[in-house]
């Protein structure tokens, strides 16, 4: 068997499209011959560094996004629902604290990324399914406990996430995304024959599969495989 291709997934839990891309890549990590590397980063830093404007700041894009996410939630089978005030969630509260917390979980985890995956998912669920806060320590604690972390692991992550090394790590990951040419999330970087191939958004999976020599079996590959 050929060696597994390294695939980096840059994401931020404030981004609903990142949740869709995240779930698909997690479903395919054991279907395709890939090594998925989760790269929690700060979307605000990428938008600023690239000079991009969030879709929520453009009225017509914002209206479209609401309808688009409803359709995509059904297609991808992700329990995504817009919060009552998405502008407040995305632009006033933001996600810096939450992404530092995810980075702290990643820093402490050994032997894989199961905790990072589960904590990220629970934070997305809080914003984009339950319309709950993710900015306060108690909010992050609740998400982490639902993700299966022990009380001691949660407490350690809470003590770590405000430290300078964690702030630096999140900043470095964000700058790493910008070095690839990021202008938004999700951004997926497939390393093919020593060269990075960049895919933006949650609608490039069929093209990505073609580029890495794999087959796109739809948003739920296990069900697709069962029908073959």
């Amino acid at each position: 068997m050929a060696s597994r291709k390294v695939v980096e997934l840059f994401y931020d839990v404030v981004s609903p499209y990142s949740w869709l891309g995240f779930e698909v890549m997690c479903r395919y990590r054991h279907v395709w011959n890939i090594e998925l590397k989760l790269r929690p980063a700060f979307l605000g830093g990428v938008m600023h560094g690239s000079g991009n404007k969030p879709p929520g700041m453009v009225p017509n894009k914002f209206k479209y996004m609401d309808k688009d996410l409803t359709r995509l939630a059904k297609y991808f089978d992700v329990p995504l629902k817009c919060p009552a005030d998405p502008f407040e969630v995305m632009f006033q509260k933001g996600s810096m604290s939450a992404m530092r917390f995810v980075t702290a979980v990643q820093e402490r985890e050994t032997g894989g990324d199961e905790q990072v995956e589960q904590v990220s998912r629970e934070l997305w669920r809080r914003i984009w399914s339950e319309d709950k806060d993710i900015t306060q320590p108690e909010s992050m604690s609740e998400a982490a406990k639902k993700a299966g972390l022990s009380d001691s692991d949660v407490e350690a992550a809470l003590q770590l996430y405000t430290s300078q090394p964690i702030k630096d790590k999140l900043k470095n990951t964000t700058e790493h995304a910008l070095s690839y040419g990021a202008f938004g999330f999700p951004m997926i970087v497939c390393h093919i024959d020593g060269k990075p191939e960049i895919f933006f958004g949650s609608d490039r999976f069929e093209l990505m599969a073609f580029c890495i020599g794999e087959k796109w079996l739809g948003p739920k590959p296990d069900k697709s495989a069962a029908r073959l």
Side-chain angles (χ1 to χ4, degrees):
M1 179 181 291
S3 60
R4 292 188 296 169
K5 292 180 174 66
V6 173
V7 176
E8 299 178 88
L9 170 60
F10 292 86
Y11 67 91
D12 186 323
V13 298
V14 80
S15 162
Y17 292 98
S18 286
W19 191 9
L20 302 174
F22 175 91
E23 295 296 354
V24 169
M25 293 309 302
C26 286
R27 292 168 188 172
Y28 271 88
R29 71 191 312 174
H30 301 303
V31 176
W32 289 344
N33 187 32
I34 62 173
E35 180 183 354
L36 180 64
K37 293 184 176 294
L38 301 180
R39 303 291 193 223
F42 180 48
L43 180 57
V46 164
M47 301 301 285
H48 178 76
S50 64
N52 196 8
K53 182 182 289 187
M57 302 298 289
V58 181
N60 282 354
K61 284 185 178 181
F62 189 77
K63 291 178 183 178
Y64 174 80
M65 186 177 76
D66 186 33
K67 295 179 180 179
D68 189 43
L69 289 173
T70 299
R71 296 179 299 199
L72 289 169
K74 295 178 181 178
Y75 176 69
F76 286 105
D77 193 19
V78 174
L80 194 158
K81 293 182 293 185
C82 280
D85 190 346
F87 189 89
E88 178 189 35
V89 167
M90 291 187 286
F91 306 120
Q92 294 180 0
K93 289 187 173 182
S95 61
M96 181 177 288
S97 293
M99 296 315 295
R100 285 175 176 170
F101 183 75
V102 174
T103 301
V105 172
Q106 185 177 57
E107 180 71 11
R108 297 190 73 257
E109 187 169 16
T110 58
D113 58 12
E114 182 179 353
Q115 290 185 345
V116 175
E117 177 183 337
Q118 295 295 345
V119 169
S120 298
R121 181 174 291 118
E122 290 302 328
L123 288 168
W124 263 307
R125 196 188 305 276
R126 286 185 69 86
I127 308 180
W128 292 102
S129 188
E130 301 171 350
D131 197 5
K132 293 180 179 178
D133 174 74
I134 63 163
T135 65
Q136 299 301 314
E138 56 268 25
S139 302
M140 293 179 276
S141 174
E142 184 176 334
K145 289 178 181 178
K146 282 191 175 183
L149 273 66
S150 67
D151 290 348
S152 60
D153 283 339
V154 172
E155 184 60 32
L158 285 173
Q159 291 181 5
L160 185 61
Y161 89 101
T162 57
S163 68
Q164 193 60 47
I166 291 301
K167 293 178 181 179
D168 291 342
K169 181 173 181 178
L170 180 62
K171 181 180 179 180
N172 290 339
T173 304
T174 303
E175 291 177 345
H176 189 41
L178 284 166
S179 74
Y180 280 129
F183 54 88
F185 288 159
M187 185 181 74
I188 303 170
V189 183
C190 299
H191 294 268
I192 306 170
D193 297 328
K195 297 180 180 179
E197 290 285 343
I198 314 301
F199 301 89
F200 168 72
S202 56
D203 58 354
R204 293 294 186 270
F205 298 114
E206 191 169 1
L207 176 61
M208 185 192 311
F210 172 79
C211 291
I212 65 175
E214 298 285 353
K215 291 183 179 181
W216 169 245
L217 300 172
K220 300 171 71 176
D222 290 342
K223 287 193 174 182
S224 297
R227 291 197 298 266
L228 295 178

